[in-house]
């Protein structure tokens, strides 16, 4: 049985309850995890409160060193951790490994920034006083993490929170607790003082709710669905908590007639089908200029045909299973709705057949044409391997249609024309725009959404600001 890690110790749930974590490719039990509740959150908060003054007052460079050390300890176990993640999440082992490498890169990025946090000196108008802005950690923070990138999205919270001098507890998604539990344990073993970082597993409706309501948690970093995010904002808002919300997306990709077709094809195939389409910044709507539409679609069908679906443990697999039965059902319903409204399945549109696929939540990579704009797959976030493709006459039409979504997370334009690229970068309603480049998040760049895709930013030095309170200090000189 996997254990939680609270106040420097491995612990089971006080109730003694556990639940099964199953492999989405085979249905087999991977392990059991503790079913924690409000009591465990309170224990983690008490530990974080007790640890806060010591951690806040630890020299920033020393905090950074402990995070570097933690990263090194996790790195030594990366192969076994990647296999564990694949078993609980479903993605190919190579993707799990890349995810953990990205987590380590992010942790080291913030470890390095710990000692670079600065305030300001402010001359004041009358010349007899001056101001200082000092930046202080907020206190006890909590991170609520989804299942699609369970490790990097935990890291985007732990890294800046701890580097800035806060203490933290994290709650992984119920279906992906195992790798996160192991990593938090390893980071603690590497030398974090007890209580600085705890992890509590259990249902969102119990553990998550306590995080939102507990007034001693001053800051919540949430990544998940927009629907849950609205609830988080309402409940945590009542306690005046500092909040960042990283929510759903429906990223448009626009390919102009002068774009590099081969690069764009790779962009579309990787961008839509990585992690079986279960990425917030996956390409979810593809807009092609009329003159390239036919050749692009034909080549994309060829590329998609070659994507191997299977168990993530198989090194040839490019698409693992969907993460849960509900996740597969949702994408099936969105495709059925698109077809009912006149959409055409160009490839895929069903489950793969054969003994290898019977027990997992597999679905073939799917391309759709002629999908009307009121179809669910266009209006909602689609979190699976299906991509609707649209024909547009020019950039104005592409941008206007791209902006029709309630979401505004990522977006991309593929063109050799700098003025088109610039126009799109300025006019697309999104937190991020990629020009001739894959939808990938970089630790160095701020990442987040506009509209219903969220509030605030993770990644980049910008993320640190969300874990600090600026305090104004006025000094009289005379
Ligand atoms: P989800 O909203 O169902 O769950 C996210 C987390 O919230 C889980 O840990 C869950 O247990 C917890 N939770 C559930 N109910 C809660 C409650 N009442 N109070 C507090 N916490 C609660 O999302 P998911 O299905 O795990 O993740 C997929 C979604 O996440 C997609 O919409 C995706 O776009 C989004 N996402 C966004 C980003 C981003 O950076 N913008 C990144 C990855 C995923």
């Amino acid at each position: 049985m996997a254990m939680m890690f609270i106040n420097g110790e491995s612990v089971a749930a006080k109730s003694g309850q556990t639940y099964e974590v199953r492999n989405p490719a085979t249905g087999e039990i991977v392990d059991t995890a503790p079913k924690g509740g409000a009591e465990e959150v309170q224990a983690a908060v008490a530990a974080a409160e007790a640890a806060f003054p010591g951690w806040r007052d630890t020299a920033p460079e020393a905090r950074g060193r402990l995070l570097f050390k933690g990263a090194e300890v996790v790195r030594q176990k990366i192969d076994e951790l990647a296999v564990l993640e694949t078993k609980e999440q479903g993605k190919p082992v190579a993707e799990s490994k890349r995810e953990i490498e990205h987590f380590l890169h992010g942790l080291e990025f913030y470890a390095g920034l710990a000692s670079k946090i600065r305030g300001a000196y402010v001359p004041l108008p009358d010349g007899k006083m001056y101001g200082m802005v000092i930046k202080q950690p907020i206190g006890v923070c909590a991170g609520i993490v989804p299942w699609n990138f369970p490790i990097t999205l935990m890291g985007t919270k732990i890294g800046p929170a701890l580097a800035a001098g806060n203490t933290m507890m994290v709650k992984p998604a119920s279906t992906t607790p195992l790798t996160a539990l192991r990593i938090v344990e390893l980071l603690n073993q590497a030398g974090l003082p007890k209580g600085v970082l705890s992890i509590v597993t259990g249902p969102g409706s119990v553990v998550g709710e306590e995080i939102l309501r507990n007034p001693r948690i001053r800051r919540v970093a949430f990544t998940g669905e927009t629907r849950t995010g609205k609830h988080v904002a309402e409940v945590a808002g009542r306690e005046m908590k500092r909040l960042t919300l990283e929510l759903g997306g429906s990223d448009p990709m626009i390919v102009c007639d002068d774009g590099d077709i081969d690069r764009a094809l790779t962009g579309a195939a990787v961008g839509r089908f990585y992690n079986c389409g279960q990425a917030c910044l996956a390409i979810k709507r593809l807009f092609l200029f009329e003159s390239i539409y036919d050749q692009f679609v034909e080549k994309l069908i060829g590329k998609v045909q070659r994507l191997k679906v299977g168990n993530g443990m198989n090194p040839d697999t490019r698409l693992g299973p969907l993460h849960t039965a509900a996740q597969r059902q949702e994408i099936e319903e969105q495709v059925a709705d698109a077809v009912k409204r006149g959409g055409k399945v160009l490839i895929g549109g069903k489950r793969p057949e054969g003994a290898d696929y019977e027990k997992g939540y597999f679905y073939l990579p799917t391309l759709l044409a002629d999908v009307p704009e009121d179809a669910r797959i266009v209006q909602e976030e689609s979190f699976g391997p299906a991509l609707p493709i649209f024909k547009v006459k020019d950039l104005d039409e592409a941008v206007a249609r791209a902006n029709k979504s309630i979401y505004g997370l990522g977006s991309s334009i593929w063109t050799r024309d700098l003025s088109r690229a610039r126009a799109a970068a300025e006019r697309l309603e999104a937190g991020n725009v990629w020009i001739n480049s894959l939808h990938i998040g970089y630790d160095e760049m701020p990442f987040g959404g506009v509209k219903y895709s969220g509030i605030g930013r993770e990644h980049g030095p910008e993320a640190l600001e969300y874990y600090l309170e600026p305090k104004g200090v006025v000094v009289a000189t005379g």
Side-chain angles (χ1 to χ4, degrees):
M1 182 183 82
M3 303 279 257
M4 293 184 285
F5 206 87
I6 301 175
N7 200 20
E9 281 173 29
S10 291
V11 292
K14 286 232 167 70
S15 65
Q17 285 186 299
T18 59
Y19 67 94
E20 291 165 352
V21 179
R22 288 184 181 267
N23 184 330
T26 62
E28 287 161 4
I29 296 172
V30 185
D31 201 347
T32 57
K35 196 167 177 182
E39 226 181 316
E40 282 76 14
V41 175
Q42 287 152 14
V45 170
E49 252 178 8
F52 177 60
W55 186 245
R56 175 194 61 200
D57 297 341
T58 300
E61 214 168 320
R63 289 202 298 262
R65 268 200 302 274
L66 281 172
L67 294 177
F68 276 121
K69 201 165 154 218
E72 208 33 62
V73 171
V74 173
R75 186 171 283 115
Q76 282 160 20
K77 309 266 183 205
I78 194 162
D79 290 319
E80 70 188 73
L81 290 166
V83 168
L84 182 60
E85 185 180 347
T86 289
K87 286 186 177 162
E88 66 175 334
Q89 205 280 344
K91 63 181 68 180
V93 174
E95 288 188 23
S96 294
K97 195 165 171 186
R98 214 169 293 137
E99 183 181 343
I100 300 169
E101 278 162 359
H102 191 179
F103 162 82
L104 295 173
H105 186 266
L107 201 60
E108 291 178 338
F109 180 81
Y110 289 106
L113 283 181
S115 58
K116 288 39 171 213
I117 295 167
R118 290 179 168 183
Y121 166 84
V122 188
L124 295 176
D126 64 4
K128 296 192 182 113
M129 307 203 180
Y130 66 93
M132 294 189 297
V133 182
I134 57 176
K135 293 190 180 175
Q136 297 182 304
I138 298 167
V140 178
C141 303
I144 303 179
V145 184
W147 50 261
N148 63 335
F149 290 94
I151 305 308
T152 45
L153 293 169
M154 178 170 76
T156 54
K157 297 159 183 58
I158 293 176
L162 299 195
N166 302 281
T167 51
M168 179 167 246
M169 62 149 297
V170 288
K171 188 205 98 56
S174 308
T175 49
T176 50
L178 302 175
T179 320
L181 285 168
R182 186 79 185 107
I183 286 180
V184 169
E185 186 187 7
L186 289 169
L187 294 176
N188 273 276
Q189 284 170 358
L192 285 179
K194 73 174 190 171
V196 166
L197 177 65
S198 296
I199 180 165
V200 176
T201 51
S205 56
V206 181
V207 174
E209 280 300 318
E210 177 61 21
I211 290 173
L212 306 184
R213 288 168 200 276
N214 192 314
R216 293 152 77 190
I217 296 175
R218 299 307 316 142
R219 155 87 169 94
V220 176
F222 173 83
T223 303
E225 275 190 56
T226 293
R227 195 177 341 127
T228 323
K230 286 182 180 177
H231 174 75
V232 169
E234 266 177 45
V235 180
R238 278 184 229 139
E239 295 299 332
M240 230 45 88
K241 292 179 196 244
R242 276 59 185 144
L243 263 188
T244 45
L245 299 168
E246 298 287 344
L247 310 177
S250 185
D251 288 13
M253 168 175 179
I254 300 171
V255 188
C256 303
D257 47 7
D258 65 343
D260 180 332
I261 300 288
D262 287 333
R263 283 182 67 163
L265 281 162
T266 303
V270 177
R272 172 70 274 197
F273 299 110
Y274 197 77
N275 198 14
C276 201
Q278 303 164 116
C280 55
L281 46 66
I283 288 155
K284 294 171 185 149
R285 294 172 296 146
L286 175 59
F287 296 96
L288 303 175
F289 275 36
E290 275 166 354
S291 60
I292 57 157
Y293 183 92
D294 288 339
Q295 59 150 318
F296 196 97
V297 168
E298 194 190 316
K299 286 185 176 170
L300 189 56
I301 292 173
K303 244 182 157 40
V304 168
Q305 231 156 16
R306 291 192 292 276
L307 296 174
K308 170 111 182 62
V309 177
N311 188 324
M313 295 300 294
N314 180 340
D316 300 335
T317 294
R318 293 291 305 282
L319 269 83
L322 274 300
H323 181 55
T324 58
Q327 213 54 51
R328 179 169 65 178
Q329 188 182 337
E330 185 177 272
I331 199 74
E332 285 180 330
E333 286 174 3
Q334 287 175 336
V335 170
D337 169 79
V339 169
K340 196 179 80 196
R341 290 170 195 268
K344 243 186 3 236
V345 174
L346 300 174
I347 184 169
K350 56 182 187 216
R351 301 176 183 186
E353 284 160 14
D356 288 351
Y357 303 112
E358 267 162 21
K359 296 210 171 103
Y361 311 121
F362 295 98
Y363 192 74
L364 289 172
T366 300
L367 298 175
L368 298 162
D370 304 332
V371 178
E373 289 212 342
D374 59 357
R376 284 184 54 194
I377 201 161
V378 186
Q379 296 294 319
E380 301 170 2
E381 177 177 48
S382 62
F383 224 54
L387 179 64
I389 310 173
F390 308 97
K391 201 182 279 186
V392 289
K393 65 175 187 313
D394 57 22
L395 190 60
D396 284 343
E397 183 189 349
V399 171
R401 289 176 67 179
N403 285 345
K404 267 191 180 168
S405 174
I406 62 163
Y407 296 106
L409 194 57
S411 59
S412 64
I413 169 130
W414 302 71
T415 177
R416 291 186 172 92
D417 178 339
L418 199 54
S419 59
R420 273 179 169 167
R422 184 172 164 203
E426 286 179 5
R427 283 160 43 206
L428 283 166
E429 295 169 359
N432 300 76
V433 182
W434 286 271
I435 298 171
N436 299 324
S437 147
L438 283 177
H439 292 210
I440 291 178
Y442 291 93
D443 293 316
E444 293 75 6
M445 292 283 291
F447 176 81
V450 300
K451 304 201 275 188
Y452 285 88
S453 289
I455 296 174
R457 295 291 179 267
E458 290 194 330
H459 297 288
E462 287 81 358
L464 276 172
E465 302 297 328
Y466 293 92
Y467 288 93
L468 293 161
E469 289 283 16
K471 183 186 275 178
V473 179
V474 173
V475 185
T477 54

